[in-house]
Amino acid sequence: MASTGTATSTEKGRRIVGAERQTLAKDLVKRYTSGESIRALAASTGRSYGFIHRVLTESGVQLRQRGGARRRKKA
């Protein structure tokens, strides 16, 4: 199967390496640090949660803790 150059980074099952992976990593890091969740990134790119998590950790991103914002009790 010859590559036509029209494949996107969201093509399911396609290996992403080299410069393409670095470009994707930069985009994912920027979106994650601006507040998007790993699940949202996975859904928008068509990749798995594990793939997004791996790319972020390879990029040295400090991952947020699980769970949403906590409500404070009124005193």
Side-chain angles (χ1 to χ4, degrees):
M1 177 185 259
S3 177
T4 60
T6 59
T8 63
S9 62
T10 60
E11 186 178 334
K12 188 172 183 174
R14 191 169 66 84
R15 189 164 291 219
I16 300 174
V17 294
E20 184 181 6
R21 188 177 181 104
Q22 290 175 343
T23 304
L24 179 63
K26 285 180 186 177
D27 180 51
L28 292 173
V29 167
K30 184 169 66 170
R31 290 170 59 188
Y32 182 77
T33 54
S34 70
E36 261 188 89
S37 69
I38 295 177
R39 293 211 184 275
L41 292 171
S44 69
T45 58
R47 306 303 295 196
S48 70
Y49 178 96
F51 175 82
I52 302 297
H53 186 277
R54 191 174 324 111
V55 169
L56 290 173
T57 54
E58 285 172 359
S59 299
V61 173
Q62 179 71 39
L63 298 178
R64 296 188 293 268
Q65 291 184 348
R66 293 178 53 170
R70 310 226 186 237
R71 292 186 182 185
R72 297 179 77 172
K73 291 185 178 181
K74 293 184 179 180

